[in-house]
């Protein structure tokens, strides 16, 4: 609980004064959300904060259930969050119990989470509301979407908007799009004109583009760069090199999201624009690489 109170006070300080998390690089500023908390990393802290602050606090459930892969930043952050809050967490993990545990899953268990493995076909039902209902009843749990997605996750990310004053563009990596949409909604509420530039790290045949078209608030300028760099979770050589280059600058990146964000930025930025890059965290995922 103490750890959590410290997180809230850091978050609230951050929200009032994001400048303490800004690191300048050659032509841009970086917002180091990876530094919000040692375990509850990056944008996942904001989403969980959103869920907790609004929806969950008023409800009875002392058990939460959520979904993720064997290296999931979201499962890792959720397990740390749940432990600090005295909530039981059930992680529905894509994979098999017989497979060797990843460092991420070992941490989740050490933080008290219960792992329930789902084969590919079962895991594919994770967005299905009947399936979610069934799980909610079976485990008497509040179900949180994969990656912390959903309305409440977005709400937590609206707080990012106050970091964006004075920048022409705000760049961030896009998985479920929850962070980008929350940011855009926060910008709309503040009447801030920064453009949201999302780098889609998932090869989804235009699904995210459609989702953004449907959901982006009308007056916020945005673009989506389809820069999958080998597909979700794939780590091509360019990504490994980017990790090394940014390590040397004292800016550790993760291989799944932020390294691809920075690569897309290097290739496509417009040097006349003032840019903020959001470092959305996820450094625990680096353990999956043998660097
Ligand atoms: C989950 C995650 C994202 C993707 O965020 P969405 O809100 O799902 O788009 C980006 N970066 C990191 C490091 C993440 O862990």
């Amino acid at each position: 609980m103490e750890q959590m109170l410290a997180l809230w006070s850091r978050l609230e300080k951050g929200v009032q004064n994001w400048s303490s998390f800004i690191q300048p690089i050659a032509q841009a500023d970086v917002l180091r959300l990876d530094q919000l908390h040692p375990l509850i990393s990056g944008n996942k802290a904001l989403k969980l904060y959103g869920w907790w602050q609004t929806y969950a606090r008023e409800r009875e459930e002392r058990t939460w259930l959520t979904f993720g892969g064997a290296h999931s930043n979201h499962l890792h952050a959720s397990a740390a969050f749940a432990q600090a809050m005295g909530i039981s967490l059930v992680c529905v993990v894509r994979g098999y119990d017989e497979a060797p545990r990843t460092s991420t899953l070992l941490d989740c268990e050490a933080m008290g989470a219960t792992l329930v493995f789902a084969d590919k076909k079962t895991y594919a039902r994770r967005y299905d509301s009947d399936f979610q209902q069934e799980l909610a009843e079976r485990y008497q749990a509040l179900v949180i979407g994969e990656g912390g997605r959903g309305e409440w996750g977005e709400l937590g990310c609206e707080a990012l908007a106050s970091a964006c004053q004075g920048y022409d563009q705000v760049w961030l990596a896009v998985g479920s799009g929850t962070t980008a949409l929350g940011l855009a909604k926060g910008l709309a509420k503040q009447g801030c004109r920064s453009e949201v530039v999302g780098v889609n790290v998932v090869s989804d045949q235009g699904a995210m583009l459609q989702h953004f078209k449907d959901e982006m608030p009308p007056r916020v300028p945005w673009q989506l760069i389809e820069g999958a760099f080998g597909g979700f979770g794939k780590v091509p050589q360019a990504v490994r090199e980017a990790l090394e280059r940014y390590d040397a600058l004292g800016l550790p990146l993760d291989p799944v999201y932020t390294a691809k964000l920075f690569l897309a930025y290097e290739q496509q930025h417009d040097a006349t624009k003032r840019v903020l890059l959001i470092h959305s965290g996820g450094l625990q995922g680096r353990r999956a690489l043998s660097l």
Side-chain angles (χ1 to χ4, degrees), residues 34 41-44 47 71-74 146-149 153-154 157 172-182 199 201-202 208 212 232 254 256-258 261 278-284:
D34 60 308
S41 176
N43 62 347
K44 300 306 183 288
K47 293 191 215 185
H71 303 288
S72 165
N73 296 328
H74 169 65
E146 185 188 49
R149 66 179 57 223
E154 277 182 20
C157 295
L172 78 172
V174 170
S176 69
T178 309
T179 308
L181 286 169
V199 176
V201 302
V202 183
M208 188 54 62
F212 275 20
F232 187 75
D254 86 292
V256 180
Y257 297 97
T258 50
L261 165 70
I278 296 184
H279 188 317
S280 40
L283 298 180
Q284 69 86 26

